[in-house]
Amino acid sequence: MTINGWAQIALFVALLLLFTRPLGGYLDNVMAGRRTFLSPVLVPVERGFYRLAGINPAEEQSWWVYARAMIVFHIVGFAFLYLLLRLQDLLPFNPQGMASVPPDLAGNTTVSFLTNTNWQSYGGESTMSYLSQMAGLSVQNFLSAATGIALAMAFVRGFARTEAKTIGNFWADLVRVTLYVLLPICVLLTLFYVWQGVPQNLASYVEATTVEGAKQTLAQGPVASQLAIKMLGTNGGGFFNANSAHPYENPTAFTNLVQMLSILVIGAAMTNVFGRAVGDERQGWAIFAAMGVLFLVGTYVAYWAEAGGNPLIAALGVDNTAGNMEGKEVRFGSPLSALFAVVTTAASCGAVNAMHDSFMPLGGMIPLINMLLGEIIIGGVGAGLYGVLLFAILAIFLAGLMVGRTPEYVGKKIEAREVKMTMLAILCLPLVILGFTALASVLPVGLAGPANAGPHGFSEIFYAYTSGAANNGSAFGGLTANTVFYNGTLAIAMMVGRFAIIVPMLAVAGSLAAKRKTAASAGTFPTHGGLFVGLLVGAILIVGGLTYLPALALGPIAEHFAMLAGTLF
């Protein structure tokens, strides 16, 4: 580890902190329907959408109606994207003549982009037409991100409202976050990426001659516009197979920094939105602090593991002073590769600027742990906030058990219904992740996927289902996932990881909104200080440790000790 490496990490953290409160205030105003500096331009557009769709934004919905609207929206979105992928060979903007996407891959990809996972069992530049990239994948990048923020706001209203029967209007939330937040920022980001050298065109691929005289096909297309929302919306689906390790998607250190900030900035700001909504910004900062502790510890371990290099390579007499550079871009090195890996898995993004499969065992374990914890270390846009608030409910419940008092959080009593729904949402992830990992580890169709044997091969399978169920989408690499078995099981994991959390969460929101707010008393546990932060971090780690430690021991931990013993698998 170097001073320069830590300086780059410190710069990123400082910039993230700088943006958190101002963006939180803007998001709070947008979602509350208050006037913003963009209102003169966008209010007429917003009203036009409502008139065309027959929506009354003032007509609020109960939690069940809100959930039903969200589910119907996703069903329609699934049908549109699936048909687009299946018929892309007959549609325009396909200069390379890309064939129709096979049924199982089209289904997997549709579910993937619909659930904000963006798992890719294909290479974008060799599979998708420009129309599929723009009208299909990029559109869902916007809509899935907007859905996550809308759902988080519905959950926040459950804490903020008193004796209410409604938690907002799904359609109004969706329109506002898309118009006032995602679109304006993405326009600016697209222009920035084009300035930095990212392609944005509809031209055919070009053929170049290398210095050795060989012919090479250079893929291009509408890259910058998809890159902007893939990062800001924590989607992560790359235009190119190499994702943000590709020089066309991530050409400079400047674009690398902006991409990492784009991934986390809305998720971080949502904690401030929560604090503002409940009338105490300290509540939001406490949530942010708990996320920050887990993020910084993970960054330290990942950087330490990668900066130390590979002892087996060093034993061969190879210079290892630059750290473990296998699978990394020289222009980013160990520090920014490790930081990017932690950022993209702390959020449910999944974009990569290095191959996680080539990380050291403990370095690769950190991205895996980030996802196993439920994508609540900042997390996806919106999804990270409602995920960590579910753990906050659990932490408060545990505190109440220890002191023999009905638990309260921001003035709302946490009772049996809320705890049951919370546990249902939290436990669905391990059921899917461990269940499908076990199945793929014993069935021939599953064992045909990993490229490696032993603990590393197990980690490839384990990482894939973790990434799918956590709606992250990053790949450990080395796993041949474009098969009927993996496309089907990963699609199921992605759907459960999204909707089996959303519906119980909205039920909790509806239950909390209907409750009265209780005034703080001498026996009220304060939830804005260091004690609560420690309790929340402890609850997250205890649940994660008890659930996943055996699987981690079979994968990256076993590989680490095997490497120390000088054994290659």
Side-chain angles (χ1 to χ4, degrees):
M1 294 188 285
T2 65
I3 294 176
N4 181 53
W6 282 115
Q8 294 178 81
I9 293 171
L11 174 64
F12 167 78
V13 173
L15 289 172
L16 183 65
L17 280 168
L18 184 66
F19 285 118
T20 295
R21 193 171 187 274
L23 183 56
Y26 177 73
L27 280 165
D28 183 49
N29 288 332
V30 167
M31 301 312 292
R34 303 187 194 102
R35 184 178 177 84
T36 71
F37 71 96
L38 290 175
S39 294
V41 176
L42 295 179
V43 163
V45 180
E46 180 186 358
R47 289 173 179 168
F49 274 112
Y50 295 148
R51 283 196 295 269
L52 285 173
I55 296 168
N56 179 6
E59 182 181 334
E60 295 216 340
Q61 301 165 325
S62 67
W63 80 266
W64 170 241
V65 176
Y66 199 101
R68 186 178 63 192
M70 179 270 300
I71 291 170
V72 170
F73 179 69
H74 280 77
I75 291 173
V76 174
F78 179 93
F80 175 82
L81 181 55
Y82 181 79
L83 288 174
L84 180 61
L85 297 181
R86 293 287 293 132
L87 299 174
Q88 75 170 7
D89 58 323
L90 305 176
L91 298 172
F93 298 108
N94 187 10
Q96 299 306 121
M98 299 296 183
S100 168
V101 181
D104 60 307
L105 180 58
N108 177 278
T109 304
T110 300
V111 169
S112 179
F113 279 77
L114 214 68
T115 58
N116 199 247
T117 308
N118 294 44
W119 171 272
Q120 295 175 286
S121 295
Y122 62 89
E125 66 267 51
S126 60
T127 307
M128 298 297 174
S129 70
Y130 291 166
L131 184 66
S132 295
Q133 297 273 23
M134 294 185 297
L137 306 186
S138 292
V139 167
Q140 285 304 323
N141 282 348
F142 276 98
L143 297 180
S144 63
T147 299
I149 298 174
L151 292 167
M153 288 308 305
F155 198 28
V156 168
R157 293 183 190 118
F159 289 99
R161 294 183 175 181
T162 300
E163 296 182 286
K165 296 181 180 180
T166 60
I167 57 172
N169 183 304
F170 174 74
W171 306 112
D173 289 343
L174 194 71
V175 169
R176 284 171 182 161
V177 74
T178 304
L179 273 182
Y180 290 88
V181 181
L182 299 179
L183 274 173
I185 298 176
C186 282
V187 168
L188 296 177
L189 287 174
T190 299
L191 294 174
F192 165 78
Y193 290 134
V194 170
W195 169 49
Q196 289 291 298
V198 177
Q200 181 70 18
N201 57 56
L202 296 175
S204 300
Y205 296 175
V206 297
E207 191 174 80
T209 303
T210 68
V211 292
E212 293 87 1
K215 298 294 182 181
Q216 180 180 358
T217 300
L218 300 179
Q220 51 183 334
V223 183
S225 54
Q226 181 167 321
L227 174 61
I229 186 57
K230 95 164 185 180
M231 295 304 191
L232 186 67
T234 61
N235 300 281
F239 192 96
F240 300 106
N241 189 38
N243 209 286
S244 286
H246 196 290
Y248 276 178
E249 283 202 40
N250 196 2
T252 68
F254 198 9
T255 60
N256 193 65
L257 174 62
V258 171
Q259 287 184 28
M260 289 191 292
L261 285 171
S262 299
I263 292 170
L264 292 190
V265 68
I266 292 181
M270 288 300 295
T271 62
N272 186 257
V273 173
F274 172 69
R276 291 172 186 267
V278 298
D280 185 357
E281 286 191 49
R282 296 176 300 173
Q283 302 291 342
W285 287 117
I287 296 293
F288 184 89
M291 293 174 168
V293 168
L294 294 169
F295 175 81
L296 292 175
V297 171
T299 301
Y300 176 84
V301 175
Y303 182 23
W304 167 79
E306 296 309 302
N310 189 329
L312 299 180
I313 297 295
L316 299 175
V318 178
D319 183 6
N320 232 358
T321 54
N324 174 34
M325 288 301 295
E326 180 188 345
K328 295 181 176 64
E329 294 296 304
V330 176
R331 65 186 187 277
F332 302 136
S334 294
L336 295 184
S337 298
L339 177 61
F340 200 109
V342 176
V343 166
T344 197
T345 52
S348 62
C349 184
V352 295
N353 76 347
M355 299 301 104
H356 296 178
D357 189 48
S358 297
F359 275 36
M360 300 297 293
L362 296 186
M365 184 177 70
I366 296 302
L368 183 57
I369 289 175
N370 287 347
M371 295 184 294
L372 289 172
L373 295 179
E375 295 286 21
I376 46 80
I377 308 172
I378 305 297
V381 286
L385 180 64
Y386 65 67
V388 77
L389 287 177
L390 290 171
F391 272 102
I393 290 174
L394 176 61
I396 289 297
F397 174 68
L398 295 175
L401 289 179
M402 288 188 284
V403 299
R405 179 184 169 92
T406 301
E408 300 172 13
Y409 187 47
V410 292
K412 294 297 181 77
K413 289 188 178 293
I414 307 300
E415 297 174 301
R417 174 179 170 81
E418 292 81 43
V419 174
K420 289 176 182 176
M421 290 294 103
T422 296
M423 292 309 299
L424 178 61
I426 290 175
L427 293 177
C428 69
L429 282 184
L431 177 66
V432 171
I433 292 170
L434 297 177
F436 277 132
T437 298
L439 195 66
S441 299
V442 296
L443 293 180
V445 287
L447 292 172
N452 297 276
H456 196 78
F458 177 81
S459 293
E460 291 172 355
I461 296 172
F462 186 31
Y463 193 104
Y465 287 111
T466 301
S467 180
N471 298 142
N472 182 271
S474 65
F476 207 51
L479 181 74
T480 302
N482 191 13
T483 65
V484 173
F485 174 78
Y486 278 109
N487 281 334
T489 53
L490 282 167
I492 295 171
M494 289 185 280
M495 286 191 291
V496 172
R498 183 74 162 179
F499 299 109
I501 293 176
I502 287 173
V503 175
M505 178 273 293
L506 287 176
V508 174
S511 179
L512 291 173
K515 292 177 182 285
R516 293 182 179 180
K517 275 205 170 187
T518 58
S521 66
T524 300
F525 178 63
T527 55
H528 56 260
L531 182 60
F532 172 72
V533 171
L535 180 66
L536 178 54
V537 171
I540 293 168
L541 293 178
I542 288 171
V543 171
L546 292 176
T547 306
Y548 299 113
L549 187 58
L552 289 171
L554 290 173
I557 295 175
E559 185 180 1
H560 171 70
F561 285 108
M563 181 169 284
L564 292 180
T567 305
L568 280 172
F569 288 93

